[in-house]
Amino acid sequence: MSLDVHATPARVGVLIPVYNHAGAIGQTFARLQTLGLPIILVDDGSDAECAALLDELARAEQTTLVRLPHNRGKGAAVRAGLAHAQTLGLTHALQVDADGQHEAADLPPFVAGLDASDEILRIGYPRFDESVPKHRFYSRYLTHVLVWLATLSLALRDTMCGVKLYPVAAVNRLVARHPCGDRMQFDSELPVRWYWQGGRVENLPVRVSYPLDGVSHFALWRDNLLLAGMHARLLLGMLIRLPVLLRRRLGELS
């Protein structure tokens, strides 16, 4: 007689890192509430106006607020949100940017069909509309090519997208060993290191518009230097892992 074993359903929450997006976070939050999932807002040292708005939003049901005392960057904010997600007993966290770029209607596939034990990283790849600045559209490909070189694979379609579904415990273990940077380098470094350790990846489409409030926190010199250093480390890491990556690549092609 066989036993009827049922998988444990995943407990998924939405994670929104926020830094001075007072003009967009209200609408973004309202859209994401339609998913019916717990929401974690991470205030990355926002100014008084945005902080007050986050305090108000945090009064909503199934909403918690994590506040960093000063701005540390997107990577630090996401790590703080993932740590808090684990204390809430969430098995997966859906990161969504605060600036309203993404359509909530595109997000259910990111959380569909998950069991609590599923260690899979789901990454959005953008479907841009006409609002995307051309220089941003084409400059992304430099990062894509460097990521493909670092993994010797096309498995990571677009690491820069602001929608990612993280398996909470597994990613927290990874960032305990490799923090993956405090700022925007986190978006690309974490998926590369996830792939390096043999993690499963899925790429899902998501529509992208630029953005509700027109606020960008990309600091040209600082962030480009941080990204250049990250890519140099990842390419060196690829060389160290070359035999393993080549075997995995051959397996993907077979």
Side-chain angles (χ1 to χ4, degrees):
M1 179 178 178
S2 62
L3 295 176
D4 184 16
V5 179
H6 297 282
T8 304
R11 294 193 60 205
V12 186
V14 178
L15 193 168
I16 313 174
V18 187
Y19 176 57
N20 290 347
H21 279 293
I25 185 57
Q27 187 172 336
T28 299
F29 181 82
R31 289 176 177 174
L32 295 175
Q33 280 185 304
T34 64
L35 298 175
L37 299 172
I39 295 177
I40 301 171
L41 297 164
V42 182
D43 179 4
D44 185 23
S46 296
D47 61 22
E49 178 188 9
C50 187
L53 180 54
L54 292 173
D55 286 334
E56 182 179 339
L57 295 176
R59 298 189 185 102
E61 291 184 6
Q62 296 196 93
T63 304
T64 57
L65 174 62
V66 176
R67 174 157 282 144
L68 303 183
H70 55 84
N71 177 249
R72 293 180 54 200
K74 184 178 182 180
V78 173
R79 285 200 307 272
L82 288 170
H84 188 68
Q86 193 158 6
T87 69
L88 296 178
L90 299 178
T91 60
H92 296 77
L94 178 64
Q95 174 199 314
V96 183
D97 283 348
D99 57 8
Q101 291 188 41
H102 307 108
E103 295 287 342
D106 294 336
L107 302 180
F110 286 82
V111 302
L114 287 173
D115 295 330
S117 61
D118 283 339
E119 294 190 351
I120 184 167
L121 178 65
R122 289 176 172 167
I123 304 176
Y125 63 88
R127 291 292 188 234
F128 292 108
D129 65 14
E130 63 279 359
S131 69
V132 60
K134 295 302 182 186
H135 71 281
R136 290 195 182 187
F137 179 81
Y138 291 111
S139 64
R140 295 173 77 92
Y141 278 87
L142 176 59
T143 292
H144 298 344
V145 169
L146 291 171
V147 165
W148 297 336
L149 284 173
T151 57
L152 299 184
S153 172
L154 302 179
L156 299 173
R157 186 161 177 171
D158 188 325
T159 58
M160 299 175 71
C161 184
V163 177
K164 292 183 175 72
L165 187 281
Y166 299 109
V168 170
V171 169
N172 281 340
R173 289 194 298 269
L174 189 157
V175 299
R177 301 191 306 272
H178 304 286
C180 298
D182 281 351
R183 297 194 176 273
M184 293 185 180
Q185 69 269 44
F186 184 90
D187 270 339
S188 293
E189 183 167 351
L190 187 140
V192 169
R193 291 192 178 276
W194 179 263
Y195 180 86
W196 279 353
Q197 69 177 19
R200 294 168 56 205
V201 176
E202 288 183 1
N203 300 281
L204 300 176
V206 59
R207 286 170 288 175
V208 177
S209 302
Y210 271 78
L212 287 175
D213 59 2
V215 174
S216 172
H217 297 301
F218 188 85
L220 183 62
W221 292 106
R222 180 197 67 195
D223 287 322
N224 276 325
L225 285 172
L226 289 172
L227 290 170
M230 174 202 71
H231 286 301
R233 290 193 306 275
L234 294 181
L235 291 174
L236 178 60
M238 177 272 289
L239 293 174
I240 295 169
R241 296 166 176 82
L242 188 58
V244 173
L245 293 173
L246 286 173
R247 285 197 299 271
R248 184 171 182 182
R249 180 60 177 158
L250 290 172
E252 291 172 350
L253 293 174
S254 62

